[in-house]
Amino acid sequence: MYTKKKVVAMLLAGGQGSRLYALTKNVAKPAVPYGGKYRLIDFPLSNCTNSGIDTVGVLTQYQPLVLNEYIGNGEPWDLDRMNGGVHVLPPYESQAGASWYEGTANAIYQNMNFIRRYNPEYVVVLGGDHIYKMDYSKMVDFHIANDADCTISVIDVPLAEASRFGIMICDDKNQVVDFVEKPKEPKSTLASMGIYVFSWKKLEKYLIENENDANAKREKGEPWSKDFGKDIITSMLRDKQRLFAYEFEGYWKDVGTLDSLWEANMDLLSPSVPLDLYDKSWRIYSRSNYMPPQYLGDNAQVENSMIAEGSVVDGSLDFSILFAGVTVEEGATVKYSIVMPGTVIKSGAVVEYAIVGSDCVIESGAHIGKSPEQVPDRDKWGIAVVGHNVTVSSGKSVEPQDIVGENI
Amino acid sequence: MSSVNYNVLGLIFASMHDSNIIELTEKRTMGSIPFGGRYRLIDFPLSNFVNSGIVEVGVITKSNYASLLDHVGSGRDWDLSRKNGGLHLLPPYSQKYNGGMYTGRLDALRNIWSCIEHSKAQYVIMANCDVVTTIDFAPALRQHKESGADITLIYSKGMYDSKKDKSGTILEFNEDNTLKNVFVDPKISGECCQWLEMIIISKDVLDKIVHYADTSNVSSFTREILQNRKDEYKIVGYEHKDFFVRIDSTDNYYAANMALLDADKRNALFKPDIPVYTKVRDSAPAKYGLESNIKNSLIADGCVIEGTVENSIIFRGVKIGKDTVVKNSVIMQGTVIGSGCQVVNVITDKNVEISDGKTAMGSDLYPMLLEKNRVF
């Protein structure tokens, strides 16, 4: 017996995050660390629990070990429920055979039975790679008030950036009249945030239709896809279904690239960025790692930074974020950088404009990254990246834009 | 790390010696006194049990235990929310001989005997909250079994000075490690064995002792058993060699916190593979502002620090404003210190507010204590 739920959330967490390269070699993108103590997936999971959504399916596929372990029984997000709660949904084998998820729509299609058990009115579809705080219940209310079949959350982006996004063209009542994926000449600046509310019966119908169409095309050797934006939304628009754009105002950051991940972390140190992690009315929850408080030593010089528990800092730190259990020895310098859990920066090492992965050792005299001023050719500057579990030996340097995944 | 041991019941006396530190226990138990930036004193015995594989733990409370119940909850944060074993909260209930208020360890044990009796464990380990240390009970238990002891007392060898240490129970052992003498608060100084008030006892022995206490109406374990009747039992010692602090006054509470600024002591208490568990509060990492300047301090999550902090312990969610100097102080959780303040040699209890420009100064001999929830 399952209790009927008004809303079930489906979180697409299968992404490889190939543009995050060295940081996603062994972990799925939603498990990438962020903001000193979080992983990306903490944001949609916390938003769900804060929005009163207590039933969440997390669709995993790529490198799920860390992500599965992290989600566990959902207790950190208050999603360990007798009815509902968080469920990790990997691809599985059925009588019809086994298949990997073949696109975002197919991932949900393969788990329709999970959704059906709760007989929901609405399904919220979320991604696992954005940083934002959002009350999904308001979006569901908006969906209901408009008698919509699908509501897509949008954010107003600068015109210059609009061609990077899926762009919604709306009428004056926010009803979507057209949707263009990454348009060369954008007709609107309302970008899809990859957050959808569907009336479940409608979504179910279109998922089945898409699945059958795509499979038929595949058999005929035609190009096919099973994707939300490309297929489901387009088909619904074609059929004149009621699609509405829900405009979100506030901080929203896509962390699809190493540069944007670095920027999104740096945003936390900027007083002008409206993402308040200290706001108790909308907490972002994460799995705790039970470390003692951080210790700042006699030689520490710490400014404009965030530091998580268990770190020991006796060096100099400016505009940086240290995750749990990081050591910055006396005489080490870290600035404009992100250092992930368990990494040791030895005395005399310099880390600047860089992302250093977890459990690395940056030996004395190693130099990671350079400031933009030190690089005359602006195109050659970018953040330097050291992957997880990497030792950078004494005297070695990692240049801007370099990505190091092995010991050097 | 030890595997799960269902054969031991852990008992924590959450209120033992509350009256030693009345300034901090007026509205809470000894066990719920905040300590070390993010902990409560009870986190140490609870974590010691759990890390030793002991997963059935009773917490004996006496009075003012609302904050303790709030802190431990179902025991989930210590992995003690279980079907086999788990956490038992044992508040007092009124019996004809004590009116619900017990006066000693034996009294408390009489009160909760039915709970102990129902446990399947053959051994009981008892600990207080006023001794802070990290200990693995497994080797002590092994020694207890191998030596055929009825009672094992865990002690630490070190300097004791009755002029400095306000209280303490000193143990003397025979050459065969059996108990020779017990001195409560003796006027001595020098190296000796200080009891950490941890007891390993076989349950059938404890049964006899509690039955004796019941029929004889006695309440003090130390006096009635360890001192007066020690020849009736085989009582041996087990030396715990790691760092410990015993908290029995406001000034040594302050000193015990400050001791954590010493890396060796801190590392003895917080070992990388032996976590000290506490209630999860989901605070963001600590944030340091543009002109912050921090030296030799322990700082917990959720703090926002814009001023100067030196030689201090800053608990979770504390805010310290610009141009403020906090020195040699213990600042408990939720304290908000405005800008342009001077706070030196001070203990602020929870949720104290110090307004802009105010000065709070204790002496280096005796810290100033600012009461819980007060605005200054």
Side-chain angles (χ1 to χ4, degrees), chain B residues 43-343:
Chain B
D43 293 337
F44 294 90
L46 274 176
S47 301
N48 285 335
F49 282 135
V50 170
N51 289 327
S52 303
I54 298 164
V55 295
E56 184 177 20
V57 180
V59 175
I60 300 169
T61 64
K62 190 159 127 187
S63 55
N64 300 340
Y65 48 81
S67 63
L68 187 81
L69 299 192
D70 178 58
H71 181 70
V72 298
S74 65
R76 189 163 70 177
D77 288 326
W78 296 264
D79 215 1
L80 284 174
S81 176
R82 287 174 179 251
K83 290 193 173 179
N84 285 309
L87 185 75
H88 308 297
L89 291 164
L90 306 167
Y93 60 90
S94 182
Q95 294 200 358
K96 59 178 188 275
Y97 56 86
N98 66 2
M101 277 299 144
Y102 44 80
T103 53
R105 222 181 302 251
L106 289 178
D107 220 1
L109 290 169
R110 285 163 78 188
N111 211 339
I112 56 148
W113 186 248
S114 61
C115 166
I116 301 173
E117 208 170 22
H118 282 119
S119 165
K120 281 175 271 184
Q122 276 179 288
Y123 299 95
V124 177
I125 301 182
M126 296 183 252
N128 292 352
C129 294
D130 52 344
V131 173
V132 178
T133 189
T134 293
I135 181 171
D136 183 357
F137 288 116
L141 183 67
R142 209 176 302 129
Q143 188 208 287
H144 178 82
K145 291 182 195 169
E146 283 166 6
S147 66
D150 296 317
I151 299 170
T152 298
L153 303 177
I154 299 176
Y155 65 89
S156 178
K157 211 178 263 180
M159 292 304 291
Y160 177 83
D161 183 354
S162 60
K163 291 196 188 86
K164 283 195 207 142
D165 298 296
K166 201 179 137 195
S167 67
T169 302
I170 305 303
L171 308 176
E172 233 177 45
F173 294 98
N174 298 310
E175 271 178 21
D176 65 353
N177 195 30
T178 55
L179 187 65
K180 186 177 175 192
N181 271 311
V182 176
F183 304 102
V184 177
D185 305 340
K187 296 264 176 283
I188 55 162
S189 68
E191 201 192 59
C192 53
C193 300
Q194 198 176 160
W195 187 28
L196 300 179
E197 304 210 27
M198 295 173 187
I199 305 162
I200 304 178
I201 190 163
S202 310
K203 203 171 92 185
D204 50 353
V205 177
L206 188 61
D207 188 8
K208 270 185 232 159
I209 289 174
V210 171
H211 183 73
Y212 162 76
D214 222 7
T215 51
S216 315
N217 204 25
V218 294
S219 64
S220 166
F221 183 83
T222 308
R223 190 175 59 239
E224 298 299 334
I225 307 300
L226 300 185
Q227 290 184 321
N228 296 348
R229 309 179 76 83
K230 68 176 186 316
D231 298 333
E232 291 178 25
Y233 302 97
K234 183 173 181 187
I235 305 176
V236 304
Y238 175 85
E239 186 185 355
H240 172 53
K241 290 188 169 138
D242 262 344
F243 166 75
F244 81 98
V245 284
R246 194 158 170 269
I247 290 166
D248 62 1
S249 65
T250 305
D251 48 334
N252 81 15
Y253 167 78
Y254 172 81
N257 274 285
M258 289 300 167
L260 299 180
L261 297 177
D262 179 311
D264 290 341
K265 291 172 180 167
R266 195 168 64 242
N267 295 337
L269 205 54
F270 305 112
K271 301 177 186 196
D273 51 344
I274 307 180
V276 179
Y277 300 102
T278 187
K279 186 180 178 185
V280 171
R281 280 196 30 171
D282 295 294
S283 22
K287 193 170 181 177
Y288 300 92
L290 267 172
E291 286 151 43
S292 67
N293 180 11
I294 292 92
K295 305 276 183 221
N296 190 36
S297 293
L298 208 55
I299 292 164
D301 272 5
C303 292
V304 179
I305 298 177
E306 298 188 82
T308 295
V309 178
E310 278 178 40
N311 311 326
S312 295
I313 312 292
I314 313 291
F315 285 65
R316 292 191 277 196
V318 167
K319 292 194 165 61
I320 296 175
K322 281 189 181 135
D323 303 317
T324 284
V325 177
V326 175
K327 248 189 199 173
N328 311 332
S329 293
V330 174
I331 307 295
M332 287 191 207
Q333 59 267 44
T335 298
V336 177
I337 304 176
S339 50
C341 300
Q342 299 278 325
V343 177

Side-chain angles (χ1 to χ4, degrees), chain A residues 116-317:
Chain A
R116 284 173 185 141
R117 293 196 296 187
Y118 298 102
N119 187 24
E121 298 297 316
Y122 309 101
V123 170
V124 178
V125 177
L126 305 166
D129 42 12
H130 295 108
I131 307 290
Y132 64 107
K133 289 178 166 190
M134 181 174 176
D135 188 342
Y136 303 136
S137 71
K138 287 188 180 153
M139 185 174 166
V140 171
D141 289 346
F142 176 89
H143 179 89
I144 295 167
N146 283 306
D147 191 22
D149 300 306
C150 170
T151 300
I152 301 141
S153 174
V154 295
I155 189 160
D156 201 8
V157 294
L159 186 62
E161 287 180 32
S163 50
R164 295 201 294 122
F165 296 95
I167 294 297
M168 299 286 161
I169 296 122
C170 301
D171 67 11
D172 55 0
K173 292 193 178 86
N174 295 313
Q175 186 162 355
V176 179
V177 294
D178 201 5
F179 166 72
V180 201
E181 192 72 67
K182 296 181 182 153
K184 286 208 176 68
E185 284 169 30
K187 284 189 222 155
S188 140
T189 52
L190 295 178
S192 166
M193 296 161 66
I195 300 165
Y196 308 93
V197 176
F198 289 96
S199 298
W200 165 234
K201 288 295 162 205
K202 275 281 156 60
L203 176 62
E204 191 178 25
K205 173 174 172 281
Y206 278 91
L207 285 173
I208 294 168
E209 197 181 287
N210 168 246
E211 183 70 17
N212 294 339
D213 284 359
N215 290 346
K217 281 181 187 163
R218 176 159 54 186
E219 269 173 39
K220 284 189 253 169
E222 291 171 20
W224 58 275
S225 62
K226 300 174 177 179
D227 184 77
F228 262 99
K230 206 166 160 190
D231 302 299
I232 304 292
I233 300 301
T234 313
S235 306
M236 288 180 87
L237 275 173
R238 178 200 63 205
D239 294 352
K240 303 268 181 287
Q241 299 293 315
R242 290 175 65 79
L243 277 73
F244 282 79
Y246 174 76
E247 202 168 335
F248 173 76
E249 282 172 18
Y251 182 85
W252 178 79
K253 186 95 180 178
D254 174 78
V255 282
T257 64
L258 290 164
D259 283 338
S260 64
L261 179 67
W262 179 81
E263 280 168 26
N265 276 281
M266 288 301 135
D267 281 349
L268 290 172
L269 302 174
S270 162
S272 59
V273 171
L275 179 68
D276 182 6
L277 296 177
Y278 300 82
D279 173 12
K280 287 178 184 166
S281 69
W282 201 271
R283 280 188 201 271
I284 302 302
Y285 299 96
S286 66
R287 192 170 281 281
S288 174
N289 44 28
Y290 298 102
M291 285 195 177
Q294 56 202 269
Y295 174 75
L296 276 59
D298 279 327
N299 306 297
Q301 277 183 301
V302 174
E303 284 183 83
N304 320 307
S305 292
M306 275 170 81
I307 306 179
E309 55 204 11
S311 287
V312 176
V313 179
D314 207 17
S316 123
L317 193 66

